[in-house]
Amino acid sequence: MTKPHTRHTGRMLLTHLFMITFGLIMLYPLIWMVFSAFKPNDELFSSIALLPKRPVWDSFKAGWRGTGQFTYTTFFKNTFLLVLPTVFFTVCSSSIVAYGFSRFDFRFKRPLLMLVIGTLLLPGSVLVIPRYLLFNRLGWLNTYLPFIVPAMFACNSFFIYMMIQFFRGIPKALDEAATLDGCNTFQVYLLVLMPICKPALFSAMIFQFIWTWNDFFGPLLYINSVKLYPISLALRMSLDSTMAANWNQVLAMSVLSLLPGTILFFTSQRYFVDGVSAGAIKG
Amino acid sequence: MNKRNRISMAVSALLITGLLSACNAGGSNTTAQTIAPAQSSATEGGSSEAATSLDTQVSMAETADNSTPVTLRFMWWGGDSRHEATLSAIDTYTAAHPNVTIEAEYQAMDGYQQKLMTQISGGNQADIIQLDYVWFPDLARQGDLFLDLKAQSNIDLSGYSESFLADYCSINGTLISLPMGTNGFGLIMNKAFFEKHSLDPSQTFTWDSLIETAEKVNAEDSGDYLMSIESSSLTGMIFEPYILSNYGYYWLTDDSSAVRLTEEQLTETFTYMQKLFSTPGIQPLGEASLFASQMEQNPIWANNQLGFTIDWSGTLGKYSSVIGEDNLVVGKPPVSEGGQELIPTKPSMVISVSQLTSAPEVATDFINWMLTDNQAVEILGTQRSVPTNTNALAHLQEIGAVSEPMSQMVQQSMDQPAPAPPALAANSEVSEIVSNLLEEVAYKSVTPSDAAQQFIESVNSKIQELQS
């Protein structure tokens, strides 16, 4: 009776051991980054040991101060001003557009849907110059509008596609029941479908949050003034290939910049995992 | 089925028209750009009309000097210490000129050129722009982008050498920029390493003694390397210095019309490079290349296991920040036996004023102040290597603000300066070809004689393509 039991725990133990070691290997760079925030430059490059021999304690404080003209308070504020509206509008607009595509029949629906999918396949780098010229004509450079306005008009076709797949999995009978109960089409969307869609909305939210938060090239092109820099630019500001950098300060600020995304992910992880798989099954 | 086909055809037609219109937009824009500089050059041309318009500009600026508010954008790249110094210089200038606001747009080198090129294509560039002179050939093709600084009355050119301005700061004879600093070139050495192997850091290596010493060093301790060079700097750090010291000229003809070296010369050079990189005691290229343009992060440098690397004086700060200032010495680049020693030099960076600026008078006054005024020179120090302006340099040396290695490195370059490289040597497409071929040579995936043949063929045909 005991024999199969121990064999079972033995295997479990092995599996866990394997997963823990593998997890640690994967996480090592991140852990290294946290510890390196306390190392001076010469130690940083001379060994891969975790614990600093001569710890530096003020890297968070000095790093936050930055070059002195603007502190990371400004950069964090900027990043939220850039990311939150972008995420909010992306979720609203792509869900409405997806609702239209999945629930209504209208002229040119197929070609339009194919266009949406077509833009999904278009490599982003092709768009750099035309978009820059467009935003320049509109006078939107050096503002966050090049990020926020496209989000309002559901310019990220990936999310539309994902939502359409999700909506298709929801029985139309629900809409019909709601209509019978007196809902108009917008109420069906807002009161019936949105609550069911929560997993998809959350995954769109998390994806867009992390993408926008980490985006370097977009802000690099559209933002000129340092006072409007988001964190991704601020972090690179002091890493010049010809000059010395205080790596511990940069790493300290990198650790801080990881926090919002990590917190968001773990607090809404439940929905996120649902959303990714739910969209995937109904391919 | 038929209906579906028709629809998908309609969609592809739509997509194609979309693409075409995008192309059109791009096309019309480039024509707009080429027209705009043409117009501006027409008004700026050497006619009397241009002179009078300049005069009125000057008098207007003089009368309106301290009352009209002026806002200028100033863009540069650098690290934290350069940012801080430049910001402080801006504050000093604007405190003395309360009507002037200078918006600082600073970042690191990564992405700077791409950003600048995008801004230029949108006509959205800053008023005052820090540049690397190697971008000039690419910039020149975009039209007439920068003010002719010789035509500006408030720029004092007396502190610069005429030939330096002509070689490194001009496009087609027009002075479009001023040098912010002079970069010297040479070995950046780890003193502890040289003491450990009882080598004299003040010796000048010959290309042959370099290999011998490397072998000796590695025999004494197999973990030690005399030299480390990563593959992306092969052109500037090994190939060009080797050719310069052996032949006294560059691999291109001075007018950039063709490859100057013969196939035999190239074969000889490539044979040496293959020998060099298979020497024990020279860090294998594959390992060194993990540290492309960040050699200071190489663990063997931090651990005193690396003798030297070759680099420009402007980068001294990052090397000493890892091993300590007392542990760093500099020296001359390797020479050939009995050859002539010519050491490359270049401006660390140059500064230009955009044609599109609304206040050329103020912008030129500001750059002139930055490069010549004692107070500004003190604030900026050697953040952009030592100042090129001789008066500024003399002032800095007087107050002892130039570190010993930096001044030595610049001095050795200025004493035996190599001629300026031919214009097309810095062209991004040409240097790409050279760099790829040199990597193949160093990794031994091609024989020296084949590489020499390929070098001459592909560089010459690229040059013909560029000049047609």
Side-chain angles (χ1 to χ4, degrees):
Chain A
M1 221 34 222
T2 47
K3 223 175 179 188
H5 189 246
T6 43
R7 195 196 293 160
H8 183 70
T9 34
R11 202 198 294 155
M12 283 293 279
L13 212 72
L14 217 75
T15 319
H16 274 88
L17 200 75
F18 175 75
M19 291 204 307
I20 289 171
T21 352
F22 206 72
L24 273 180
I25 294 174
M26 302 291 278
L27 276 178
Y28 191 82
L30 270 180
I31 303 171
W32 182 87
M33 178 170 92
V34 176
F35 279 90
S36 297
F38 300 100
K39 289 182 191 168
N41 271 1
D42 53 342
E43 264 186 56
L44 210 73
F45 302 129
S46 56
S47 78
I48 54 162
L50 276 187
L51 287 176
K53 283 183 220 107
R54 292 170 288 124
V56 182
W57 297 112
D58 71 338
S59 52
F60 281 85
K61 205 175 143 206
W64 191 273
R65 203 183 58 84
T67 52
Q69 197 188 16
F70 301 102
T71 63
Y72 270 76
T73 319
T74 316
F75 300 136
F76 266 96
K77 201 184 76 201
N78 287 342
T79 317
F80 282 114
L81 283 177
L82 165 69
V83 170
L84 294 184
T86 310
V87 170
F88 175 76
F89 288 122
T90 305
V91 171
C92 294
S93 62
S94 11
S95 62
I96 285 207
V97 171
Y99 176 55
F101 272 121
S102 59
R103 285 298 195 258
F104 300 99
D105 268 319
F106 47 91
R107 243 166 193 268
F108 306 123
K109 177 175 161 181
R110 278 194 74 84
L112 284 175
L113 187 61
M114 284 164 103
L115 264 183
V116 171
I117 306 305
T119 55
L120 187 67
L121 302 176
L122 198 66
S125 45
V126 175
L127 296 172
V128 171
I129 298 280
R131 282 179 73 151
Y132 183 87
L133 295 174
L134 175 71
F135 294 139
N136 187 20
R137 292 272 169 83
L138 292 168
W140 289 355
L141 293 185
N142 215 16
T143 66
Y144 300 139
L145 292 176
F147 306 93
I148 297 171
V149 176
M152 284 178 179
F153 292 96
C155 281
N156 201 326
S157 41
F158 171 75
F159 296 119
I160 300 177
Y161 181 69
M162 191 181 86
M163 295 279 207
I164 290 175
Q165 298 301 44
F166 196 87
F167 278 125
R168 281 185 182 163
I170 303 170
K172 276 198 174 159
L174 284 177
D175 305 25
E176 284 156 11
T179 318
L180 280 181
D181 284 343
C183 281
N184 60 30
T185 40
F186 188 69
Q187 281 171 321
V188 170
Y189 159 77
L190 193 69
L191 302 174
V192 179
L193 292 177
M194 280 300 98
I196 306 175
C197 272
K198 239 193 234 165
L201 295 181
F202 268 96
S203 32
M205 188 178 88
I206 295 177
F207 271 126
Q208 184 69 330
F209 184 90
I210 292 175
W211 287 347
T212 323
W213 187 277
N214 288 342
D215 185 18
F216 172 74
F217 197 63
L220 176 76
L221 284 181
Y222 301 129
I223 310 291
N224 297 324
S225 306
V226 180
K227 66 168 182 279
L228 294 175
Y229 272 15
I231 290 183
S232 57
L233 287 188
L235 282 175
R236 295 303 293 270
M237 206 163 64
S238 44
L239 298 184
D240 194 76
S241 57
T242 58
M243 298 193 76
N246 291 314
W247 284 94
N248 49 29
Q249 296 177 12
V250 176
L251 289 171
M253 289 304 106
S254 306
V255 171
L256 292 186
S257 83
L258 284 181
L259 289 180
T262 319
I263 293 170
L264 182 76
F265 182 82
F266 280 111
T267 47
S268 45
Q269 190 186 20
R270 200 157 44 97
Y271 299 106
F272 177 65
V273 176
D274 272 1
V276 176
S277 53
I281 292 165
K282 181 85 185 174
Chain B
M1 227 37 205
N2 236 338
K3 194 184 167 198
R4 188 172 280 183
N5 269 340
R6 230 183 297 148
I7 290 173
S8 58
M9 263 178 68
V11 171
S12 45
L14 252 172
L15 272 173
I16 288 169
T17 36
L19 271 176
L20 281 178
S21 61
C23 290
N24 266 337
S28 64
N29 196 280
T30 43
T31 47
Q33 273 168 43
T34 44
I35 291 168
Q39 279 170 348
S40 62
S41 66
T43 52
E44 293 260 332
S47 67
S48 58
E49 222 181 88
T52 48
S53 80
L54 253 179
D55 281 347
T56 48
Q57 250 180 19
V58 171
S59 59
M60 265 172 63
E62 270 166 5
T63 49
D65 204 17
N66 286 319
S67 48
T68 12
V70 174
T71 302
L72 293 173
R73 289 162 56 205
F74 175 18
M75 174 161 146
W76 75 85
W77 78 85
D80 273 343
S81 54
R82 186 184 296 158
H83 297 328
E84 278 165 28
T86 315
L87 287 171
S88 143
I90 291 175
D91 287 343
T92 314
Y93 183 83
T94 48
H97 303 76
N99 62 320
V100 180
T101 313
I102 294 176
E103 280 178 9
E105 297 175 3
Y106 48 95
Q107 60 170 96
M109 182 73 180
D110 277 347
Y112 185 90
Q113 192 189 1
Q114 289 90 322
K115 177 167 187 168
L116 179 69
M117 292 301 178
T118 321
Q119 286 185 331
I120 286 174
S121 67
N124 188 248
Q125 65 268 43
D127 301 277
I128 303 165
I129 310 169
Q130 174 178 312
L131 297 169
D132 188 342
Y133 89 99
V134 299
W135 302 336
F136 283 1
D138 292 336
L139 288 168
R141 273 189 277 167
Q142 303 245 5
D144 204 359
L145 298 170
F146 305 107
L147 284 187
D148 176 3
L149 295 177
K150 269 201 178 121
Q152 303 297 317
S153 57
N154 51 8
I155 295 231
D156 173 16
L157 293 175
S158 63
Y160 309 97
S161 108
E162 192 82 25
S163 62
F164 200 81
L165 292 185
D167 288 344
Y168 296 104
C169 303
S170 307
I171 293 182
N172 302 329
T174 312
L175 182 71
I176 58 138
S177 64
L178 289 177
M180 302 186 86
T182 312
N183 251 340
F185 182 80
L187 306 190
I188 299 178
M189 294 177 275
N190 183 319
K191 203 160 142 193
F193 180 95
F194 274 71
E195 275 161 13
K196 179 182 167 193
H197 292 281
S198 40
L199 296 169
D200 176 15
S202 67
Q203 70 177 304
T204 304
F205 288 99
T206 65
W207 294 103
D208 294 328
S209 77
L210 179 65
I211 290 182
E212 284 159 24
T213 320
E215 279 168 351
K216 172 181 147 320
V217 161
N218 196 258
E220 285 170 16
D221 186 336
S222 61
D224 284 6
Y225 294 107
L226 179 66
M227 182 180 84
S228 178
I229 291 287
E230 42 87 14
S231 50
S232 71
S233 39
L234 283 174
T235 316
M237 307 307 168
I238 300 290
F239 181 64
E240 281 180 356
Y242 185 83
I243 289 167
L244 264 177
S245 66
N246 273 293
Y247 309 117
Y249 45 78
Y250 283 92
W251 45 278
L252 271 181
T253 53
D254 288 339
D255 59 357
S256 293
S257 58
V259 175
R260 182 163 181 176
L261 295 180
T262 62
E263 213 174 304
E264 290 74 47
Q265 286 172 322
L266 278 169
T267 311
E268 198 274 319
T269 309
F270 292 155
T271 313
Y272 176 79
M273 281 177 72
Q274 290 199 338
K275 191 177 162 205
L276 180 69
F277 284 102
S278 51
T279 307
I282 304 291
Q283 190 175 33
L285 205 56
E287 285 173 32
S289 297
L290 295 173
F291 306 98
S293 70
Q294 44 195 22
M295 191 49 80
E296 82 285 1
Q297 293 173 28
N298 195 336
I300 58 171
W301 176 253
N303 289 330
N304 297 339
Q305 289 176 300
L306 173 61
F308 67 82
T309 186
I310 307 178
D311 213 331
W312 296 95
S313 62
T315 62
L316 278 169
K318 70 173 187 180
Y319 288 104
S320 64
S321 87
V322 176
I323 60 163
E325 265 173 50
D326 302 334
N327 199 11
L328 184 137
V329 273
V330 299
K332 292 181 180 178
V335 291
S336 67
E337 201 95 37
Q340 181 188 11
E341 176 143 49
L342 294 170
I343 305 179
T345 174
K346 66 168 186 180
S348 57
M349 46 211 71
V350 299
I351 191 164
S352 293
V353 178
S354 162
Q355 285 278 11
L356 305 176
T357 181
S358 55
E361 282 300 310
V362 184
T364 47
D365 183 62
F366 174 69
I367 65 171
N368 188 57
W369 174 85
M370 266 212 314
L371 300 176
T372 56
D373 185 87
N374 278 350
Q375 201 184 355
V377 168
E378 276 170 38
I379 295 173
L380 294 171
T382 53
Q383 288 302 333
R384 289 174 172 85
S385 196
V386 303
T388 310
N389 188 301
T390 46
N391 307 329
L393 176 58
H395 180 70
L396 270 193
Q397 280 167 335
E398 214 169 275
I399 60 169
V402 186
S403 77
E404 179 47 40
M406 188 172 286
S407 85
Q408 185 191 333
M409 217 163 161
V410 174
Q411 199 53 50
Q412 73 195 18
S413 285
M414 299 309 283
D415 287 345
Q416 293 148 302
L424 276 184
N427 176 282
S428 49
E429 290 174 78
V430 174
S431 51
E432 176 87 15
I433 294 177
V434 174
S435 163
N436 288 343
L437 205 55
L438 291 181
E439 275 183 45
E440 282 184 50
V441 169
Y443 282 116
K444 288 197 171 167
S445 59
V446 60
T447 64
S449 55
D450 284 353
Q453 215 176 343
Q454 253 180 337
F455 186 97
I456 294 177
E457 271 169 27
S458 44
V459 171
N460 278 346
S461 76
K462 177 52 83 181
I463 286 174
Q464 265 158 23
E465 183 192 317
L466 288 171
Q467 285 176 341
S468 63

